[in-house]
Amino acid sequence: MSTIIITDSSCDLTLDYVEKNKSVLDVLGTSVNIDGFEYIDDLGKTVSHDEFYSKLRAGIIPSTAQTNIYKFYEVFDHYSKMGKSIIYVGLSSGLSGTYNNSIMARKEYMQDNKEADITIIDTVSASIGLGVLVVHAAEMVKEGKSKEEIVKYLEENKFNANHWFAVDDLMYLRKGGRIPSAVAVVGTALNVKPILIVNRKGELVSYAAIRGRKKSIKFLSDKFNEHIREVEDKIIIIGHGNCIEDAERLKQIIEKKYKPKAIMISELSATIASHVGPNMIAIAFIGDNREDK
């Protein structure tokens, strides 16, 4: 059997990458409701990133809904009937019930389709941290690696998926219950840019508070320097919330010192951007063990 990698739109990969790799990768869209309009996050096709972020900047707060069991059942059935071995590389169970829905869908599907080959991976990762695992897995499929080799790689490296986020607008974290209102108000007045990580439980947590944009970008590059290993074999992803200039600046800083296999710049799609707001800058890579706080 040939292998297909399945993930969801919280991976924050570019539409261009996903379409170029559709023979080995499928991305399930999360349901998004913005200003009364409900659609499936298809990485900017239905609602462009520019249009989406303009609504965020206008103060409109979207909502998202996790992928349901029926959708997973449907996609498992589709690829199983094509004779594919399936690896679902999922958003952290510490952040969403989507992973549990995929487990229940697999259990239900396997009851009547015992010959199906479906593996579910809880990546304990999110956004481009999930994306960097997906990209390495997709590259392994193209290289002809077996399903067993890919699953082994993902399980052994999911805690090596470092992802660091510098958030610009504290109010989105407040509305999501990540920080108290008083902290958001004071932090905004002081121009504090919080640094977030996904810990080893797969939860989004605050790591540090940096004053000013330039310092927060430097902090991300410093953490890359600290945790990257064997950079020549690695694909690096820089994510941004509709602030391409900052993403390019971070890329240039890295390229002055390192020559990774590739550096991808990706604009966060609606699924994750709904919860962190515009102007976020982030970096993800496979390095040493992620920090836990």
Side-chain angles (χ1 to χ4, degrees), residues 170-183:
L170 291 165
M171 293 305 170
Y172 284 87
L173 295 175
R174 177 187 65 79
K175 290 168 183 174
R178 297 291 176 186
I179 59 174
S181 296
V183 173

Side-chain angles (χ1 to χ4, degrees), residues 215-226 250 253-254 258 283:
K215 288 182 179 179
S216 63
I217 291 174
K218 183 180 184 301
F219 186 93
L220 297 182
S221 67
D222 288 345
K223 284 299 179 181
F224 178 82
N225 293 338
E226 182 181 346
L250 181 55
I253 291 171
I254 292 170
Y258 299 100
I283 189 166

